[in-house]
Amino acid sequence: MATVSPSWNYTLHLPHDPRAPGIARGALRLILAAHEMQDLAPTAELLAAELLTNSHRHTEGPYALRVRSAEPGRLRVAVWDTDPRVPPGFSHPAAPPPPDSEGGRGLHLVQACADTWGASALSEPVASKGGKLLWAECGGGGTR
């Protein structure tokens, strides 16, 4: 008899600390190993690293890594932070930065490596603490 794996989700609340993105990536590896999804680890870690670094560099408050799987073999990596402004390049593809630019490539990597991505500005401070949620999905051959 086949069993159905229930959906699951984890949230790791992080302080505004330069070590937090690395700690979160380590937690993500453990989560994926526990759910036998190690094959998604390289892509999921890249997505998480870019979203976490974006939150760390461009906000001053805490942020959180959220990871969930609602269907077998598919993963959503999301990062919440306190700033409600969605990066312009995240809501729609933007032109790549100039070759000599030292930044601005993270969201292009997310768009190139994720099956789908999105963003939500959270305006209800009572329920969600406000801010925004940037997310990206991988695995399962999704569509953009």
Side-chain angles (χ1 to χ4, degrees):
M1 179 176 184
T3 60
V4 176
S5 177
S7 63
W8 50 263
N9 66 72
Y10 296 88
T11 301
L12 177 62
H13 296 274
L14 300 158
H16 195 269
D17 181 298
R19 297 167 289 210
I23 291 167
R25 288 191 312 273
L28 176 61
R29 278 191 300 276
L30 291 171
I31 291 166
L32 295 177
H35 289 281
E36 299 179 355
M37 297 178 79
Q38 299 93 321
D39 56 322
L40 295 179
T43 301
E45 273 193 68
L46 176 107
L47 296 172
E50 295 303 332
L51 296 176
L52 288 161
T53 300
N54 190 59
S55 287
H56 182 77
R57 289 187 65 192
H58 300 289
T59 68
E60 294 181 14
Y63 43 99
L65 173 67
R66 297 179 180 179
V67 183
R68 76 174 177 95
S69 176
E71 55 188 83
R74 187 150 186 83
L75 184 72
R76 177 175 281 199
V77 175
V79 174
W80 166 86
D81 65 46
T82 56
D83 186 345
R85 296 174 294 165
V86 173
F90 204 82
S91 55
H92 58 281
D100 59 345
S101 175
E102 292 186 18
R105 289 177 180 77
L107 298 181
H108 292 280
L109 286 172
V110 169
Q111 292 168 351
C113 295
D115 296 323
T116 60
W117 67 86
S120 298
L122 307 171
S123 60
E124 291 295 323
V126 175
S128 66
K129 298 182 185 176
K132 69 175 167 296
L133 185 72
L134 302 180
W135 58 267
E137 291 185 357
C138 61
T143 60
R144 284 194 186 146

